[in-house]
Amino acid sequence: MSLVDKELIASPVYDISLVVSVSEASSCEVGDELTNVEGIIFDRLHKELKYPSELRSVETAGYGVPGGKSIIVKIRDIASAVSLSVYINSWYQRAYPIGLILGAHVAFTNLQQKMSVKNSVYFVTTGLSSVVVKDMNQPPHFESKEDWGASCNLLLAVPSKKLLWGTVEMDQLLKVSVQFRCEYCSHLFIRGRCSYVGCWSHSKGEIAAVCT
Ligand SMILES: [Zn+2]
């Protein structure tokens, strides 16, 4: 963990007024500023990383994208055919982004804009990026190259041993547990300090967190 000053982490907070549509984002000139983009998901793929240098050897079980893959989310506007891809890369030590299903209306924050060799705009996530699912009510009628299996109503007959997918709504969240670990010795932080007495970083600091 790192003890970050509150003012430093206040800047990347999600601001809905600065979110641009897919067509606006596609026509923007490529610049250094981070962009917030929203659209409707029409495809999602999991890709192996191209270069071994992109793989990180230290990964925490239960976090990140299984297999160290990157996720490519293709989004488009509700009313236009303009589309673009968002590459969710280096999603280490973070919860897998749930809810990125066909037809979901999503907003990505703090993306870096890139230009492909074919001169089309795409975006990659940064360490500040977050994903917000704004609406799930779009009918999931888009075609995907990834095998999601058949869509299924869980209240009706479910074929056994088949790959299936469906949309569910969370009814209740029973528990959220957060643990802080020392970035120097990996021992747990308890009451604001590292629990390992031999750790040289055990000075007490303020712990702040931002949820987006
Ligand atoms: Zn420590």
Side-chain angles (χ1 to χ4, degrees):
M1 65 157 297
S2 54
L3 301 171
V4 185
D5 187 278
K6 263 189 178 166
E7 287 183 9
L8 281 175
I9 54 175
S11 55
V13 168
Y14 176 66
D15 181 350
I16 197 162
S17 64
L18 301 171
V19 180
V20 297
S21 68
V22 170
S23 36
E24 286 169 324
S26 303
S27 56
C28 278
E29 283 201 14
V30 176
D32 293 334
E33 284 188 19
L34 299 180
T35 312
N36 304 330
V37 185
E38 68 175 320
I40 308 292
I41 296 178
F42 69 94
D43 202 358
R44 186 193 67 175
L45 309 158
H46 289 87
K47 284 264 188 211
E48 300 282 351
L49 294 175
K50 242 182 181 173
Y51 308 105
S53 59
E54 293 176 300
L55 277 172
R56 254 176 50 156
S57 55
V58 182
E59 186 56 279
T60 308
Y63 291 87
V65 180
K69 295 182 179 182
S70 65
I71 309 171
I72 303 170
V73 180
K74 298 185 178 184
I75 55 174
R76 70 182 188 194
D77 289 333
I78 296 170
S80 85
V82 182
S83 67
L84 58 81
S85 296
V86 177
Y87 287 73
I88 301 179
N89 294 339
S90 306
W91 205 255
Y92 303 115
Q93 312 291 352
R94 302 185 66 177
Y96 181 90
I98 56 170
L100 304 183
I101 63 165
L102 304 182
H105 181 185
V106 291
F108 291 91
T109 67
N110 295 303
L111 299 176
Q112 194 177 9
Q113 194 180 21
K114 300 268 189 185
M115 185 71 82
S116 75
V117 284
K118 292 175 186 167
N119 275 342
S120 62
V121 168
Y122 67 99
F123 289 85
V124 296
T125 53
T126 65
L128 301 176
S129 296
S130 64
V131 190
V132 179
V133 179
K134 298 176 76 175
D135 189 2
M136 282 287 195
N137 292 327
Q138 294 294 321
H141 60 271
F142 301 111
E143 291 295 318
S144 172
K145 292 193 198 84
E146 197 162 79
D147 185 12
W148 293 54
S151 70
C152 174
N153 185 336
L154 297 174
L155 299 175
L156 303 175
V158 178
S160 63
K161 296 179 181 173
K162 286 260 173 70
L163 190 61
L164 302 167
W165 77 280
T167 308
V168 294
E169 197 168 287
M170 186 167 66
D171 187 44
Q172 213 174 5
L173 185 63
L174 297 176
K175 184 183 176 184
V176 175
S177 175
V178 179
Q179 288 187 338
F180 294 95
R181 288 189 183 275
C182 175
E183 66 178 319
Y184 299 103
C185 71
S186 299
H187 281 76
L188 276 180
F189 255 57
I190 297 171
R191 286 187 286 279
R193 62 172 62 210
C194 178
S195 59
Y196 178 50
V197 287
C199 179
W200 62 273
S201 79
H202 62 76
S203 61
K204 196 170 178 180
E206 187 184 355
I207 294 173
V210 173
C211 296
T212 58

